Amino acid sequence: ETGVTQTPRHLVMGMTNKKSLKCEQHLGHNAMYWYKQSAKKPLELMFVYSLEERVENNSVPSRFSPECPNSSHLFLHLHTLQPEDSALYLCASSQDGTGVTNEQFFGPGTRLTVL
Amino acid sequence: AQSVAQPEDQVNVAEGNPLTVKCTYSVSGNPYLFWYVQYPNRGLQFLLKYITGDNLVKGSYGFEAEFNKSQTSFHLKKPSALVSDSALYFCAVRDNYGQNFVFGPGTRLSVLP
């Protein structure tokens, strides 16, 4: 176990549904991240939060909406998704978002399928 | 801009033989280099990192990596492969300007019994 948990582990949703992914870290870290992992594509950084403030948003469509209520929890709210959004969504945390030498700790991911 | 290349999609090695998974990088400033492993249906797991100092870095599960500045490489190695090492391996880079991680496309390692 890495100290980062994600729920649910699997999610199937229709294009008109609204759902949320949850991430929780038990490591006392200050930075949290959302990544998208699609088959045969590099890992894509979606959002970065440092001390509960969003510090990066890599041109992610507005149908993905992050929320970081505190340094231990991170959500990804999903609405009107497209089939091409089907992927493994990974959450990660690190000691300090600005500390360039800090490695990231990843959760197990949520496998999302959009029908 | 930062970039990472892993030139091999797939590496096959026999159990007990040494293994190498290749990584080359490009950054503007000083490189900070990382290796992660991903087992099926799991998230990425940190293996080792190079920040400064000795070019040979030792990490988890008997893995090590060698930083070569002139060749801009950071190849992952293990002297004797195990079947349980079969997984997807990712190289990642960050520079001292504080940019976020850039991950390579991954290399699938298969260790054959």
Side-chain angles (χ1 to χ4, degrees):
Chain A
E1 294 296 329
T2 62
V4 181
T5 58
Q6 290 186 245
T7 55
R9 293 294 307 276
H10 300 272
L11 178 62
V12 179
M13 59 188 289
M15 290 193 288
T16 58
N17 291 158
K18 290 184 180 181
K19 296 286 184 183
S20 295
L21 310 184
K22 179 183 176 182
C23 175
E24 184 174 359
Q25 58 97 0
H26 310 274
L27 301 167
H29 289 167
N30 292 322
M32 297 187 77
Y33 311 77
W34 279 117
Y35 286 89
K36 177 183 179 182
Q37 186 178 27
S38 305
K40 304 195 180 203
K41 292 178 70 175
L43 213 58
E44 300 173 53
L45 178 65
M46 300 175 72
F47 300 105
V48 181
Y49 277 82
S50 181
L51 297 172
E52 301 150 44
E53 286 193 24
R54 191 189 309 179
V55 296
E56 187 149 341
N57 173 357
N58 281 355
S59 302
V60 179
S62 59
R63 56 186 184 268
F64 295 92
S65 175
E67 179 189 1
C68 187
N70 56 62
S71 59
S72 298
H73 293 87
L74 185 65
F75 294 90
L76 188 62
H77 303 300
L78 316 171
H79 64 98
T80 59
L81 294 192
Q82 305 297 312
E84 59 264 31
D85 296 323
S86 299
L88 182 67
Y89 288 84
L90 292 166
C91 174
S93 71
S94 66
Q95 179 66 42
D96 180 346
T98 60
V100 296
T101 63
N102 295 322
E103 61 271 26
Q104 295 180 336
F105 292 78
F106 285 80
T110 295
R111 174 70 61 187
L112 174 66
T113 303
V114 182
L115 301 176
Chain B
Q2 304 169 112
S3 66
V4 178
Q6 293 181 243
E8 301 155 317
D9 290 338
Q10 174 91 34
V11 170
N12 296 321
V13 64
E15 187 176 27
N17 283 1
L19 69 87
T20 299
V21 182
K22 295 179 180 178
C23 171
T24 58
Y25 66 90
S26 175
V27 296
S28 301
N30 293 327
Y32 302 110
L33 297 151
F34 302 77
W35 274 103
Y36 290 83
V37 60
Q38 186 177 30
Y39 297 101
N41 301 313
R42 303 286 293 276
L44 277 67
Q45 186 175 333
F46 170 73
L47 276 179
L48 51 79
K49 65 182 177 182
Y50 171 80
I51 304 302
T52 187
D54 285 344
N55 290 341
L56 186 64
V57 178
K58 294 189 182 297
S60 307
Y61 313 119
F63 284 94
E64 57 189 27
E66 186 167 12
F67 171 64
N68 188 317
K69 188 173 183 178
S70 62
Q71 297 186 3
T72 60
S73 67
F74 190 56
H75 301 331
L76 182 70
K77 300 181 180 184
K78 187 173 183 180
S80 178
L82 301 173
V83 172
S84 57
D85 293 329
S86 299
L88 193 55
Y89 289 80
F90 292 92
C91 182
V93 69
R94 203 176 190 184
D95 67 23
N96 61 334
Y97 296 114
Q99 298 299 310
N100 283 303
F101 286 96
V102 173
F103 283 84
T107 297
R108 187 163 299 282
L109 172 68
S110 292
V111 181
L112 308 172

